[in-house]
């Protein structure tokens, strides 16, 4: 998953009103990649963990490829208008 959000309930000290808010706890890819590589390299990691890491990396690659294609098309469109 690309975004990890959790809903939490908080209570203010002024009143007893409970408030629900969402906190985004999505980790940075730059922090995840070293751990993911370690999982793939580890002989102790099970196949399910390796498959999950591989699936996430393939999803990330697709997202980056799609973004790069959009940027390329936008640049070509910009040049065509000059």
């Amino acid at each position: 998953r690309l975004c990890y959000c959790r809903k939490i309930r908080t209570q203010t000290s002024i009143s007893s009103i409970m408030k629900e808010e969402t906190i985004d706890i999505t980790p940075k890819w730059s922090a995840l990649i070293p751990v993911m590589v370690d999982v793939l390299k580890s002989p102790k990691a099970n196949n399910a963990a390796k498959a999950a890491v591989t699936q996430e990396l393939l999803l990330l690659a697709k997202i980056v490829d799609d973004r790069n294609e959009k940027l390329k098309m936008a640049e070509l469109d910009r040049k065509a208008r000059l």
Side-chain angles (χ1 to χ4, degrees), residues 66-80:
D66 290 348
R67 181 180 176 275
N68 287 341
E69 185 64 24
K70 286 179 186 175
L71 289 172
K72 183 171 110 181
M73 292 311 220
E75 181 64 16
L76 289 172
D77 186 48
R78 186 188 71 76
K79 286 181 179 179

Side-chain angles (χ1 to χ4, degrees), residues 1 5-6 8 10-11 14 16 18-19 21 23 30 34 36-37 41 46 48 50 54 56-57 67 73-74 77-79:
R1 297 186 306 175
C5 295
R6 297 289 184 255
I8 62 166
T10 57
Q11 184 174 357
I14 300 170
S16 61
M18 293 296 286
K19 177 181 162 187
E21 59 185 302
I23 297 176
S30 58
M36 295 170 89
V37 169
K41 289 164 114 180
N46 65 40
K50 289 182 179 186
T54 301
E56 284 293 318
L57 290 173
R67 181 180 176 275
M73 292 311 220
D77 186 48
R78 186 188 71 76
K79 286 181 179 179

Side-chain angles (χ1 to χ4, degrees), residues 3 7 14 17 19 23-24 27-28 31-32 44 46 54-56 61-62 65 67 71:
C3 180
K7 287 188 178 181
I14 300 170
I17 298 173
K19 177 181 162 187
I23 297 176
D24 182 357
K28 299 285 184 197
L32 285 178
K44 293 181 181 179
N46 65 40
T54 301
Q55 185 177 4
E56 284 293 318
K62 182 182 181 339
D65 287 345
R67 181 180 176 275
L71 289 172

